Amino acid sequence: MKLDTRAMRYLTAEDWRVLTAVEMGSKNHELVPTTLIEKIARLKGGASGVHKSISNLAKVGLIARMKEAKYDGYRLSYGGLDYLALHTHASRKNVYSVGSRIGVGKESDIMIVADDKGTQKVLKIHRLGRISFRTVKTNRDYLKNRQSGSWMYLSRLAAIKEYAFMQALREEGFPVPEPIAQSRHTILMTLIDAPPMRQISSVPDPAALYAELISLILRLAKHGLIHGDFNEFNILIREDKIEPETENDDTDPDTDPNTNEQQQEDDDSTTPSTTLTPILIDFPQMVSMDHQNAEMYFDRDVECVKRFFSRRFHFTSTEPGPFFKDAKKTVGRDGVRRLDAVVEASGFTKKMAKDLEAALREQQANAKNEASDSDDAEDESEEEEEDEDEDADEGHQVIGDQIVTAGEGLEKLAINDGT
Ligand code: ADP
Ligand code: MG
């Protein structure tokens, strides 16, 4: 499902009210009856105004009419929820325009957006619990009876959890994007100008980068956490220039600076070099070091790094491990904050964690089945490139009457909230 903002500029204030009413109604109703929508929206125009908006919204696919044995009603689509979230980000002045999609996973869409100053940011839209049409029938009762099975609830959980972890990690000084805002199933964060490790074909010093990544895993563990998906797509590699230090620290202020520069250029050891900084992303599946399967997740993260370094950089560490039992001993040591506890205290309850975990597991199992049905994993990068091409063609969605000039490829979001 791709975010399509084209219809946004045509929505009236009444349409937004009705869309919000459908969202509110769906908290207690799988299908929201028209009478309930009328009651919540309380439009001045009365029932006929509501019907007009309902038909507008249905036409552009933001809500869908469903027929059930007992009654007819409407449900919010992913598109409808996307619009509501964007509307919230926009009214908080966090998002002004929407650009192209830079990433698409099984569980999310990653969009470039910008605020009214043209500062680019990343909007991650969680798309969880999408069940394929083949299995809709068998999942129907489950969906109907359990709120924990609904895509809206699960996607929101993923966003809440990811946002809470990003905040906690950032506060603790971990290299992660800065979380800006969260609404419904979306989170807004800073754009990291760095490619995923997957796209890096060689590095000057594989051993150093490997050590850095392993120490990141151990640092997380010390804070009580396991990333749970520590792979080459979720580690962005930023190239930072390091300015050379002059050989003589207490430089004579009388020394001609030009002479100094000349010397530096001539001297290999002092030419500016770069250092690679890994930035971690993607946190919905993070688990506590106390999780019952913690060892399996920990080992899998470590193994992932080892396998990638061996295949891509032909590097194998001479040091065995690190091992879970050793990492476990370091949890909370030296008075460090346990971030697993921090996140739980932020309101992400055990029940929420359980619901989300079950959904992620199901989703991963589905993904595996689909992958084994079609092609092998090595084709993934090609698929991604195709996706990017497709986006380049469709990238410009004109949705507003004023196009932002700063930040190429971004179009104004028409916010029509009736004010
Ligand atoms: P998923 O859960 O679908 O794997 P990710 O959060 O891992 O979603 O994001 C998918 C891809 O989008 C990443 O591999 C990366 O290329 C890109 N991406 C995500 N967040 C950012 C960001 N803040 N800055 C730059 N690129 C990002
Ligand atoms: Mg990812």
Side-chain angles (χ1 to χ4, degrees), residues 12-222:
T12 64
E14 288 76 27
D15 295 344
W16 280 112
R17 256 186 104 91
V18 169
L19 188 61
T20 308
V22 177
E23 182 189 34
M24 288 169 76
S26 57
K27 289 197 174 116
N28 299 311
H29 294 75
E30 167 75 7
L31 285 186
V32 192
T34 315
T35 47
L36 183 60
I37 302 176
E38 282 167 18
K39 224 159 122 187
I40 301 174
R42 293 176 58 194
L43 292 191
K44 283 200 197 88
S48 77
V50 172
H51 288 179
K52 187 163 166 247
S53 285
I54 285 180
S55 116
N56 284 347
L57 296 170
K59 216 183 285 163
V60 287
L62 303 183
I63 59 174
R65 183 162 181 208
M66 312 292 280
K67 286 182 191 216
E68 285 282 314
K70 287 199 202 105
Y71 66 94
D72 288 2
Y74 289 86
R75 63 167 186 75
L76 203 61
S77 70
Y78 251 122
L81 196 64
D82 290 353
Y83 273 39
L84 287 165
L86 271 176
H87 194 249
T88 298
H89 287 306
S91 55
R92 292 185 196 152
K93 307 268 180 264
N94 283 322
V95 174
Y96 181 75
S97 60
V98 179
S100 56
R101 186 172 63 169
I102 55 165
V104 55
K106 285 262 187 284
E107 288 133 33
S108 76
D109 282 334
I110 311 287
M111 308 290 304
I112 297 267
V113 297
D115 61 19
D116 56 359
K117 292 181 195 72
T119 305
Q120 298 199 358
K121 302 169 185 182
V122 163
L123 181 75
K124 178 168 180 179
I125 309 175
H126 285 276
R127 307 219 183 270
L128 229 98
R130 272 180 298 191
I131 39 175
S132 73
F133 283 111
R134 276 179 294 159
T135 59
V136 162
K137 259 213 164 81
T138 51
N139 277 298
R140 226 189 202 155
D141 290 336
Y142 168 74
L143 272 181
K144 222 192 293 183
N145 300 328
R146 290 191 41 199
Q147 200 213 5
S148 18
S150 102
W151 59 267
M152 222 192 288
Y153 168 70
L154 293 168
S155 303
R156 190 168 62 88
L157 283 192
I160 292 173
K161 181 176 172 186
E162 179 155 43
Y163 190 73
F165 272 114
M166 209 181 281
Q167 251 177 341
L169 290 167
R170 180 88 187 178
E171 270 169 28
E172 216 52 55
F174 278 91
V176 301
E178 182 189 336
I180 299 166
Q182 182 250 325
S183 170
R184 300 172 177 85
H185 61 325
T186 69
I187 57 175
L188 195 63
M189 62 184 119
T190 48
L191 171 71
I192 306 292
D193 186 16
M197 190 163 73
R198 165 86 185 188
Q199 287 175 20
I200 310 251
S201 52
S202 70
V203 290
D205 188 355
L209 185 59
Y210 175 84
E212 180 104 13
L213 291 173
I214 295 296
S215 86
L216 210 46
I217 291 179
L218 292 176
R219 194 169 147 213
L220 285 169
K222 196 168 172 184

Side-chain angles (χ1 to χ4, degrees), residues 234-358:
N234 294 333
I235 301 162
L236 308 179
I237 302 291
R238 196 181 63 204
E239 252 186 278
D240 294 323
K241 279 214 161 56
I242 19 174
E243 289 305 321
E245 282 178 31
T246 45
E247 271 179 20
N248 187 0
D249 269 352
D250 34 30
T251 320
D252 185 344
D254 290 340
T255 316
D256 181 354
N258 293 328
T259 326
N260 228 352
E261 253 172 37
Q262 190 56 48
Q263 274 170 0
Q264 281 176 18
E265 267 171 33
D266 291 347
D267 188 350
D268 263 1
S269 66
T270 55
T271 48
S273 60
T274 55
T275 159
L276 300 180
T277 307
I279 317 268
L280 264 186
I281 56 167
D282 204 356
F283 311 112
Q285 69 296 313
M286 279 197 118
V287 292
S288 160
M289 281 290 280
D290 291 340
H291 189 279
Q292 54 174 353
N293 297 324
E295 180 157 14
M296 184 274 285
Y297 288 120
F298 181 89
D299 289 349
R300 200 173 66 181
D301 277 2
V302 171
E303 194 44 46
C304 216
V305 179
K306 285 181 186 276
R307 195 174 47 233
F308 184 78
F309 270 70
S310 144
R311 285 190 185 164
R312 178 66 57 88
F313 305 133
H314 309 291
F315 170 83
T316 308
S317 172
T318 49
E319 263 183 65
F323 300 107
F324 177 74
K325 64 174 187 344
D326 301 324
K328 179 85 182 171
K329 287 182 209 143
T330 70
V331 176
R333 205 182 260 178
D334 308 323
V336 305
R337 268 206 319 165
R338 286 200 60 157
L339 299 183
D340 46 352
V342 169
V343 168
E344 206 176 294
S346 79
F348 196 78
T349 62
K350 283 216 163 74
K351 154 127 179 52
M352 289 161 113
K354 237 172 100 186
D355 287 344
L356 179 61
E357 202 179 323

